[in-house]
Amino acid sequence: MMGAGLLGGVLLGLGAALLLVAWLGRRPYRYDDEAELPVRDARWLVVVLPVVLGLIGAGWWASAPGTALLLAGYSLVLGALAAIDLDVHRLPDAITLPLMGVTLAGVAAVGLSQGSAEALLRAVAAGAALGGFYLVQVLIGGARGMGLGDAKLAVSLGMVLGLLSWVHVFAGTLAAYLFALMWGVCLIVARKADRRTEIAFGPHMALGAVLVFAAPGVTGLMGLL
């Protein structure tokens, strides 16, 4: 079953990545005043998404197919949002706001199908907590480069991580900050940024989350070696 989940995830990730790259290439999310910004290539998704979805399939499909589908679908959206944030340093409301409702429906479907009302309640609480945590930082200016789009994304992100456990919420959030810190340090060392430079935070949120999603797959595959 692990092999089937791995192969299915890779194929799904590859097909979805090709469609996403074609859509992102048209830049439908750009405002008029962003038309002249430098273009950021999103073809990295063709490599990243098959790997991520393959690992999700390997780690989750055999034991929790509903969870595997939810994590895979959400990872595709995270990939698209990361590419957009890298391109224009903005997470569009047209995606982040509907994503809250869609994620709630998906989390409810998975939680109820597994007969776990506790997991569903935890997911809702985690979404509110993580969204509030990011919102406070935005309002007080506690994180350079973080905006309301990140706080809106944090609501749905918290729900998905919270469905798994509070440990997943903490791990995914901590990883996002660590990746952002390391990226900022690398830019400063390379003299491509300074302490006042704002960086897109959405990609780091996405990276922290997908690593948590993929962790069981990595562990499972390492056990076969």
Side-chain angles (χ1 to χ4, degrees):
M1 287 294 288
M2 180 178 291
L6 175 63
L7 179 59
V10 169
L11 294 176
L12 176 60
L14 180 59
L18 292 172
L19 293 174
L20 278 176
V21 169
W23 179 76
L24 290 166
R26 298 195 298 270
R27 306 292 188 272
Y29 51 83
R30 282 195 173 193
Y31 294 147
D32 292 340
D33 60 354
E34 295 171 337
E36 302 303 321
L37 291 176
V39 174
R40 302 280 185 175
D41 196 338
R43 285 179 291 183
W44 55 270
L45 290 171
V46 177
V47 176
V48 172
L49 289 181
V51 173
V52 170
L53 267 64
L55 291 173
I56 289 174
W60 296 93
W61 181 253
S63 59
T67 300
L69 291 174
L70 176 66
L71 298 182
Y74 194 77
S75 295
L76 293 176
V77 179
L78 286 178
L81 286 172
I84 293 171
D85 204 5
L86 287 171
D87 187 39
V88 296
H89 282 210
R90 179 174 54 81
L91 294 172
D93 286 348
I95 298 178
T96 57
L97 293 179
L99 185 59
M100 296 181 195
V102 173
T103 302
L104 178 59
V107 165
V110 173
L112 294 176
S113 68
Q114 296 176 348
S116 180
E118 179 183 354
L120 177 55
L121 292 175
R122 184 177 62 239
V124 174
L130 194 60
F133 174 68
Y134 274 82
L135 179 60
V136 168
Q137 292 178 87
V138 173
L139 294 178
I140 65 175
R144 185 170 297 277
M146 187 180 293
L148 286 174
D150 301 303
K152 295 167 188 173
L153 175 60
V155 175
S156 60
L157 185 60
M159 285 191 281
V160 176
L161 291 169
L163 180 69
L164 305 179
S165 75
W166 283 109
V167 172
H168 287 84
V169 177
F170 176 78
T173 304
L174 178 61
Y177 281 88
L178 289 177
F179 287 131
L181 175 61
M182 289 187 292
W183 180 243
V185 170
C186 289
L187 290 177
I188 292 173
V189 170
R191 296 185 177 180
K192 294 184 178 181
D194 57 33
R195 295 178 183 274
R196 296 181 298 277
T197 301
E198 294 186 355
I199 62 174
F201 200 77
H204 302 291
M205 296 172 68
L207 180 57
V210 298
L211 286 180
V212 170
F213 298 162
V218 174
T219 302
L221 291 175
M222 290 180 63
L224 297 177
L225 299 179

